[in-house]
């Protein structure tokens, strides 16, 4: 039997095509050693020990945070670098105005100069990984070659990594080739390049998150979105959550919010006390792969096996599940430390003594933890991790939610009139930028489907693909838009957010079950007065009214800006989006 043979074979003999590629990269990068990762517990602990002894990982308080460690990245390497991230397709048009583009030959020449000999004195790690349950037909595999043991540890937590993945690669025959080196960490020599036409990624000069853990944004979104278009599915920046209502029915919801806009939190939500009987379970917190099923519904898997989550703001009140998840066996990156050698970040109880750069804490230097400080932890540690997250068939989706961080304009919730209108609603997402990427924070930018940094091809083609996928579904999910981040004139959030968001999800579920009426409003369907349960909520009637307001003049301006943005995609823009937009505009005109 093949599996039995595999179990005995040395790793380097399981998949010939992987071996050939590793040999080629070894020749180019000149490492001192090549190490094939098997994904075992012993290997994980050994690599962790090595990092600690080299001073690259710091042991945290082992009696209060057993198995927890701290990594400090280079201060110039703390987030994704969108201006250095490229999609290198043969035709520039295929990458689209939404991506940085470089000719593949030019990109490879530039990269070759940087990769040649870059691993001298280092170990080359071969990291075979599987995105999604090992036995799911929807899962896809890759191999990351890296010279960072920190990356190996993170990949071990975030993916199904090692021998098991290599065995699947031997069966699949195909895998995504991801070549990564931390290089010299100089931002001048940093590039994250994607070659979707040959399913490959080359990343150099960063050891951080989405730049370096190639299974995540590079593979599971940029490359996978390209593959998904060819194969008829969707790869999206979405959480997946299961909600069992007090009536006993379970609905699965997928929600796309831009980076650091609340996906991890919503996927682990704890119901407010005034809503007993609801049971929430997490399937995924960042990425969803969605497949049309033979039953005409849309089914989803979480391709990841762990969370690379935002630490700041996480506490027992905002997200008790995450808080408990990260009490043990967690890698923290760029958090601060307390006097007791416990991890600390803004929003956590206690006091910082050492900041994220290892300096004595001084408020004059800014926040103690970096605003994009993260935790890496296995999904299985989440107290509400759903069993179905391991189901090879995935879960059927009742609703898709889009949202962004909008201090004004966008109301708490509205529902699209149809799938086609919903694609426009997704395309209309705009959000304030966050610390998840380098650059200015708090500037509103267009971020369709929360995929601006992650869509591996022309947005025009992407929206067209969305329209096609929806048209083929006989039981398409309903599509909604939410905004947890609207503020009053004083800059205070009007909506309490976090667990209270269930109040909005409950309405969404009632809509899906056909049990709630709605107001036929210019943007779409909105809750009738009193339809959102506000019992036990500390929010004034005025605040709630302000939350749901749709200022017509502001929206007419927004629609004009959106049209201009969409027209920037020229002939690749599906005309259906412009006709949906014209309809919204007419409704707004009638309302004014
Ligand atoms: P990525 O991992 O970057 O994709 O982010 P994410 O979308 O998973 O965001 P996450 O849930 O980690 O939240 C980011 C920040 O937003 C944290 O500081 C949270 O505390 C805050 N946040 C999350 N949900 C809410 C909410 O409902 N209301 C408010 N006001 N803040 C929230
Ligand atoms: C995001 O930025 O959306 C993240 C973190 O989830 S990273 O893995 O760095 O992309
Ligand atoms: Mn993300």
């Amino acid at each position: 039997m093949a599996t039995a043979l595999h179990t005995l074979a040395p790793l380097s003999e399981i998949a010939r095509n992987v071996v050939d590629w590793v040999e080629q990269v070894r020749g180019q990068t000149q490492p001192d050693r090549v190490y094939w990762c098997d994904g075992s517990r012993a290997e994980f602990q050994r690599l962790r020990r090595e990092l600690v002894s080299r001073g690259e990982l710091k042991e945290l308080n082992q009696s209060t945070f057993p198995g927890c460690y701290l990594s400090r990245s280079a201060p110039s390497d703390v987030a994704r670098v969108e201006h250095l991230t490229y999609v290198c397709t043969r035709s520039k048009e295929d990458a689209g105005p939404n991506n940085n583009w470089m000719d593949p030959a030019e990109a490879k020449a530039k990269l070759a100069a940087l990769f040649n000999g870059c691993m001298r004195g280092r170990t080359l790690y071969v990291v075979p990984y599987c995105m999604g349950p090992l036995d799911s037909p929807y899962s896809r595999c890759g191999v990351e070659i890296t010279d960072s043991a920190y990356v190996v540890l993170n990949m071990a937590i975030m993916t199904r990594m090692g021998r098991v993945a290599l065995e699947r690669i031997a069966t699949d025959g195909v895998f995504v080739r991801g070549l990564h080196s931390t290089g010299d960490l100089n931002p001048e020599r940093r590039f994250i390049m994607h070659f979707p036409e040959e399913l490959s990624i080359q990343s150099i000069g960063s050891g951080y998150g989405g730049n370096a853990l190639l299974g995540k944004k590079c593979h599971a979104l940029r490359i996978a979105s390209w593959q998904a278009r060819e194969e008829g599915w969707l790869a999206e920046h979405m959480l997946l959550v299961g909600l069992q209502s007090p009536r006993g029915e379970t609905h699965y919801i997928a929600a796309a919010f831009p980076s650091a806009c609340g996906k991890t939190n919503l996927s682990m939500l704890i119901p407010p006390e005034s809503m007993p009987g609801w049971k929430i379970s997490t399937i995924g917190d960042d990425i969803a792969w969605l497949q049309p099923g033979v039953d005409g519904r849309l089914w989803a898997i979480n391709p990841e096996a762990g969370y690379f989550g935002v630490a700041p703001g996480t506490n027992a009140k905002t997200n008790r599940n995450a808080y408990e998840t990260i009490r043990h066996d967690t890698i923290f990156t760029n958090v601060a430390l307390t006097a007791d050698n416990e991890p600390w970040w803004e929003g956590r109880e206690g006091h910082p003594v050492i900041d994220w750069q290892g300096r004595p804490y001084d408020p004059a230097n800014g926040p103690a933890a970096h605003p994009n400080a993260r935790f890496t932890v296995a999904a299985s540690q989440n107290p509400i991790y759903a069993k179905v997250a391991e189901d090879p068939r995935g879960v059927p989706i009742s609703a898709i939610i889009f949202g962004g961080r909008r201090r004004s304009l966008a109301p708490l919730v509205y529902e699209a009139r149809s799938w086609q209108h919903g694609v426009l609603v997704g395309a209309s997402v705009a959000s304030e930028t966050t610390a998840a990427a380098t650059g200015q924070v708090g500037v509103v930018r267009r971020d369709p489907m929360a995929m601006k940094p992650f869509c591996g091809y022309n947005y025009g083609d992407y929206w067209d693909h969305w329209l096609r996928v929806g048209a083929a579904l006989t039981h398409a999910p309903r599509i909604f838009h939410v905004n947890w981040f609207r503020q009053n004139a004083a800059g205070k959030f009007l909506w309490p957010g976090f667990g209270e968001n269930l109040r909005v999800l409950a309405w969404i579920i009632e809509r899906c079950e056909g049990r709630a009426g709605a107001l036929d409003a210019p943007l779409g369907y909105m809750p009738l007065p009193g339809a959102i349960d506000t019992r036990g909520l500390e929010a004034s009637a005025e605040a709630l009214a302000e939350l749901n307001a749709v200022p017509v003049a502001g929206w007419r301006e927004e629609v004009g800006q959106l049209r201009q943005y969409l027209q920037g995609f020229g002939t690749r823009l599906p005309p259906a989006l412009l006709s949906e937009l014209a309809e919204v505009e007419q409704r707004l005109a009638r309302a004014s």
Side-chain angles (χ1 to χ4, degrees):
M1 268 183 36
T3 326
L5 260 181
H6 285 151
T7 323
L8 297 174
L11 283 168
S12 57
E13 279 174 22
I14 294 177
R16 196 64 236 171
N17 46 357
V18 179
V19 177
D20 293 344
W21 178 57
V22 169
E23 277 314 303
Q24 179 207 320
V25 172
R26 182 223 289 266
Q28 179 184 13
T29 58
Q30 302 284 305
D32 281 12
R33 287 167 298 278
V34 171
Y35 177 80
W36 289 69
C37 298
D38 63 19
S40 65
R41 187 79 206 142
E43 171 183 271
F44 187 88
Q45 289 170 342
R46 182 158 31 79
L47 289 173
R48 197 170 62 186
R49 267 200 310 278
E50 279 175 30
L51 279 169
V52 172
S53 67
R54 290 207 302 266
E56 292 174 41
L57 212 53
K58 190 180 178 325
E59 199 175 81
L60 295 173
N61 186 326
Q62 293 299 298
S63 49
T64 52
F65 282 84
C68 292
Y69 293 79
L70 166 67
S71 163
R72 291 191 185 112
S73 69
S76 62
D77 184 32
V78 292
R80 283 183 294 98
V81 281
E82 295 180 1
H83 62 296
L84 302 174
T85 300
Y86 288 74
V87 170
C88 308
T89 43
R90 283 188 301 266
S91 143
K92 183 175 182 180
E93 274 289 292
D94 287 343
N98 46 303
N99 279 302
N100 299 315
W101 176 85
M102 203 181 286
D103 175 77
E106 185 190 339
K108 281 183 190 162
K110 208 182 246 306
L111 289 164
L114 297 172
F115 274 105
N116 285 342
C118 74
M119 295 190 191
R120 276 194 200 107
R122 304 185 186 181
T123 300
L124 179 159
Y125 299 95
V126 182
V127 187
Y129 62 88
C130 180
M131 302 308 292
L134 286 160
D135 55 350
S136 172
Y138 307 135
S139 300
R140 295 285 185 280
C141 292
V143 177
E144 175 165 358
I145 290 179
T146 179
D147 55 11
S148 160
Y150 165 81
V151 166
V152 177
L153 292 188
N154 277 269
M155 287 292 286
I157 296 171
M158 298 298 297
T159 72
R160 281 92 171 164
M161 189 277 268
R163 176 177 290 269
V164 286
L166 207 55
E167 285 172 1
R168 171 141 178 173
I169 289 171
T171 314
D172 285 358
V174 258
F175 65 98
V176 170
R177 289 156 204 246
L179 172 55
H180 170 255
S181 169
T182 49
D184 60 7
L185 292 177
N186 185 332
E188 304 282 308
R189 288 183 285 278
R190 180 178 298 162
F191 289 104
I192 325 297
M193 305 268 203
H194 304 74
F195 304 89
E197 286 149 333
E198 43 188 76
L199 305 185
S200 80
I201 305 155
Q202 295 194 39
S203 164
I204 189 157
S206 166
Y208 199 87
N211 301 330
L213 314 178
L214 301 187
K216 198 171 175 62
K217 299 301 164 55
C218 298
H219 177 164
L221 289 177
R222 298 196 192 93
I223 299 289
S225 63
W226 178 284
Q227 279 183 298
R229 178 166 177 248
E230 290 187 334
E231 298 170 10
W233 48 284
L234 298 166
E236 300 297 329
H237 193 204
M238 289 176 175
L239 68 92
L240 292 169
V241 66
L243 303 127
Q244 192 195 101
S245 73
R247 296 156 54 97
E249 281 171 60
T250 299
H251 286 273
Y252 297 99
I253 288 182
F257 309 144
S259 302
C261 290
K263 289 183 301 301
T264 302
N265 278 272
L266 197 70
S267 74
M268 299 181 184
L269 139 162
I270 294 177
E273 269 170 33
S274 64
M275 295 180 79
W278 285 85
K279 287 203 186 74
I280 316 299
S281 56
T282 315
I283 293 98
D285 83 323
D286 196 48
I287 299 178
W289 286 356
L290 305 120
Q291 292 268 357
V294 287
D295 60 357
R297 291 191 288 179
L298 193 60
W299 289 72
I301 62 162
N302 169 17
E304 301 191 279
Y307 312 123
F308 183 64
V310 175
T314 307
N315 60 50
K317 264 215 177 113
T318 55
N319 190 347
R320 195 178 70 234
N321 286 321
Y323 198 66
E324 282 174 18
T325 304
I326 60 181
R327 282 308 293 236
H328 65 99
D329 298 290
T330 301
I331 299 174
F332 293 92
T333 301
N334 293 342
V335 297
L337 293 174
T338 66
D340 293 334
N341 197 31
E342 291 184 356
W344 193 90
W345 49 82
E346 277 66 20
R348 193 180 153 75
E349 75 271 13
H351 302 280
V353 168
I354 306 287
D355 76 4
W356 66 276
Q357 297 188 58
R359 303 172 298 192
Y361 173 57
D362 177 353
N365 287 330
H370 188 277
N372 192 36
R374 299 252 169 186
F375 51 78
T376 316
V377 69
S380 57
Q381 290 187 197
N382 173 1
I384 62 161
Y385 184 53
K387 275 202 191 74
V388 284
E390 305 285 343
D391 192 320
R393 295 166 305 177
V395 295
I397 300 300
S398 299
I400 291 175
I401 305 178
F402 294 112
R405 197 180 270 269
R406 295 298 298 266
R407 78 189 76 198
S408 62
L409 226 50
L412 183 61
V413 61
Y414 62 93
E415 181 188 343
R417 296 172 193 288
S418 63
W419 180 274
Q420 181 168 297
H421 178 219
V423 175
L424 175 73
V425 168
S428 76
V429 170
S431 192
E432 290 156 33
T433 50
T434 65
T438 57
Q440 233 184 321
V441 167
V443 203
V444 176
R445 69 158 178 184
R446 306 235 71 99
D447 194 348
M449 277 82 169
M451 283 285 278
K452 168 68 188 71
F454 311 121
C455 181
Y457 61 103
N458 191 314
Y459 255 148
D461 298 334
Y462 170 82
W463 295 319
D464 185 60
H465 180 54
W466 260 82
L467 292 171
R468 280 170 207 276
V469 168
L473 297 171
T474 51
H475 303 281
R478 291 185 183 225
I479 299 181
F480 298 80
H481 187 282
V482 300
N483 180 20
W484 314 139
F485 298 94
R486 199 154 180 181
Q487 296 177 11
N488 65 12
K492 198 175 167 293
F493 288 123
L494 287 162
W495 179 250
F498 302 101
E500 309 293 344
N501 293 334
L502 181 59
R503 298 171 187 275
V504 175
L505 300 184
W507 180 76
I508 287 175
I509 285 174
E510 281 184 21
R511 289 292 297 165
C512 294
E513 291 178 347
R515 290 190 297 110
L519 210 67
D520 193 355
L523 298 184
Y525 300 121
M526 293 183 74
L528 292 164
I532 296 210
D533 182 357
T534 53
R535 276 171 302 172
L537 192 66
E538 284 171 40
S540 66
E542 298 83 73
L544 293 173
E546 208 177 332
L547 257 174
N548 288 306
V550 177
V552 172
W555 267 100
R556 292 180 81 176
E557 200 180 312
E558 174 83 2
V559 163
Q561 286 169 8
L562 180 58
R563 175 177 292 111
Q564 232 179 3
Y565 172 74
L566 292 176
Q567 282 171 339
F569 293 88
T571 55
R572 301 268 180 139
L573 177 73
L577 288 198
L578 288 180
S579 53
E580 287 293 336
L581 191 64
E583 205 161 303
V584 174
E585 198 163 40
Q586 281 157 23
R587 286 170 185 275
L588 285 165
R590 283 201 292 276
S592 69

